[in-house]
Amino acid sequence: MGRAQRQRASALVVVVRTLGELMITFGIVILLFVVYTLYVTDVIAARQQDDVDDKLERSWASPVAQQPAERLVKPELGSGFARIYLPAFGEDFRFVVVEGVGSPQLAVGPGHYPGTALPGQPGNVGIAGHRIGKGAPFNDLDKLNSCDAVVLETETDFFIYRVMPMSDEVANWGKVKQRDPRCAAVPSLRQAGQPEGGPYGRTVGRRIVTPDRGDAVAPVPYRPENPLPKAQQASLVTLTTCHPEYGNSERMIIHGALVNQIPKQQAGSYQALLGLIGEPV
Amino acid sequence: MYGWIWRHLPGPFGIRLLAALVLLTGIVALLMFVVFPWLEPKLPFNDVSV
């Protein structure tokens, strides 16, 4: 091999080697990004949750708390105004719900759809939450069964919602699951004999819908034309998250109905509340 | 590329190793705390609202 030839060969070696190194580096960066979305965001979200939880606790303890009704009229974007508990996922499942469903708000915790009902009101309390990373509050929504409790805590009250009958349970709801005393008050809002089961005929415990179904959090779910006056609307809670678990092609929707309201003064603590509503502690 | 960086780090082996580790940590921190938080909301993987 001549000298020029050898130089050309070694230049080629450098180019190929550098290209290979860049590719390996890119692969490692992608892996780091996966680590970031699955784990690092959890840590960041946990710290932000602690912050809003402290703030919420302090605002509830402050003297302004004399007029809670006024405070709850319209929560400020990004501020925590309630807590959500899903006892089926363990006693320690507890998140502060912040106002808004933009990514900065959802990075902190479950977010309340602005304009939807507030806890306890007639209509539909819409709450979105991440399923992967950022604390993943709604990671296990697919494991919720009908009749499982969704507890919302406000300044003054615990509102106990329970997941409505699943589509395959609606027909025999009264005969089977409603026999359980915990589930006795959980309504199947489907009205037999009416076209499509009445205004709430499409509202079952869990639905998988396309991302454009903004009407899942409408006052009467899936009825954007809003067929009922406010006074006749059922008090519902609707939880939304992404579906499938690592995808965004669909959304998982959980609907629950209000079955009970217990003032915090009466319940004392959340632990005591679980005993009151018959949840295993 | 990595060979070139290694040759341009100053000092004896120990110092070079330390400098390389510091560089690596810095780059990972830059990715984790600046680049990824900026990039992540722009990707459609985690839409949860309707």
Side-chain angles (χ1 to χ4, degrees), chain A residues 33-43 45 95 103 106-108 128-143 240-248, chain B residues 40 44-48:
Chain A
F33 183 66
V34 172
V35 171
Y36 169 81
T37 46
L38 295 188
Y39 303 105
V40 178
T41 55
D42 277 353
V43 178
F95 285 91
S103 59
L106 290 174
V108 178
H130 279 296
R131 199 169 176 189
I132 296 297
K134 307 202 174 100
F138 288 174
N139 187 21
D140 290 327
L141 280 197
D142 54 323
K143 299 191 182 75
T240 74
T241 194
C242 57
H243 188 83
E245 191 166 0
Y246 292 90
N248 79 331
Chain B
E40 203 247 15
F45 300 139
N46 219 343
D47 296 337
V48 294

Side-chain angles (χ1 to χ4, degrees), chain A:
Chain A
M1 228 176 349
R3 200 167 156 209
Q5 239 177 338
R6 235 175 307 162
Q7 260 174 358
R8 215 177 310 141
S10 86
L12 193 68
V13 164
V14 169
V15 168
V16 169
R17 188 178 58 206
T18 307
L19 209 65
E21 284 175 340
L22 283 174
M23 283 175 172
I24 292 170
T25 309
F26 186 67
I28 291 172
V29 169
I30 296 288
L31 283 177
L32 281 174
F33 183 66
V34 172
V35 171
Y36 169 81
T37 46
L38 295 188
Y39 303 105
V40 178
T41 55
D42 277 353
V43 178
I44 299 170
R47 213 179 316 148
Q48 289 182 304
Q49 261 289 310
D50 284 348
D51 282 352
V52 285
D53 197 87
D54 282 352
K55 245 187 242 165
L56 185 65
E57 199 54 58
R58 255 179 299 159
S59 82
W60 283 351
S62 72
V64 194
Q66 313 276 315
Q67 308 94 22
E70 279 177 32
R71 169 110 38 99
L72 258 183
V73 171
K74 195 171 181 290
E76 212 175 298
L77 193 71
S79 73
F81 67 97
R83 286 202 192 98
I84 182 170
Y85 303 84
L86 299 176
F89 300 153
E91 224 182 286
D92 54 353
F93 183 102
R94 151 184 151 160
F95 285 91
V96 170
V97 180
V98 298
E99 177 74 354
V101 291
S103 59
Q105 289 96 45
L106 290 174
V108 178
H112 174 246
Y113 288 83
T116 64
L118 290 164
Q121 291 179 345
N124 191 0
V125 187
I127 300 174
H130 279 296
R131 199 169 176 189
I132 296 297
K134 307 202 174 100
F138 288 174
N139 187 21
D140 290 327
L141 280 197
D142 54 323
K143 299 191 182 75
L144 274 183
N145 294 313
S146 59
C147 195
D148 281 350
V150 177
V151 178
L152 297 181
E153 178 190 7
T154 63
E155 181 159 15
T156 52
D157 294 274
F158 286 111
F159 294 96
I160 295 95
Y161 296 80
R162 287 188 182 276
V163 177
M164 295 175 60
M166 300 298 166
S167 52
D168 56 344
E169 296 172 327
V170 170
N172 288 316
W173 184 245
K175 276 179 254 164
V176 186
K177 212 156 177 184
Q178 226 173 3
R179 292 259 166 99
D180 181 341
R182 288 188 317 143
C183 312
V186 182
S188 165
L189 294 174
R190 197 181 168 84
Q191 293 164 332
Q194 288 220 28
E196 285 193 73
Y200 289 103
R202 300 170 203 168
T203 311
V204 292
R206 174 171 37 246
R207 289 194 56 167
I208 307 294
V209 301
T210 48
D212 56 354
R213 293 307 294 265
D215 52 2
V217 295
V220 178
Y222 315 110
R223 301 295 293 268
E225 80 279 12
N226 202 2
L228 295 175
K230 197 162 175 84
Q232 285 176 34
Q233 288 167 10
S235 293
L236 303 178
V237 67
T238 296
L239 312 180
T240 74
T241 194
C242 57
H243 188 83
E245 191 166 0
Y246 292 90
N248 79 331
S249 54
E250 292 169 307
R251 300 287 181 272
M252 179 179 290
I253 313 286
I254 302 285
H255 295 294
L258 184 67
V259 297
N260 206 352
Q261 170 180 5
I262 299 180
K264 279 160 86 171
Q265 276 182 325
Q266 185 191 329
S269 65
Y270 172 64
Q271 268 71 22
L273 177 86
L274 288 181
L276 283 178
I277 63 173
E279 293 293 320
V281 185

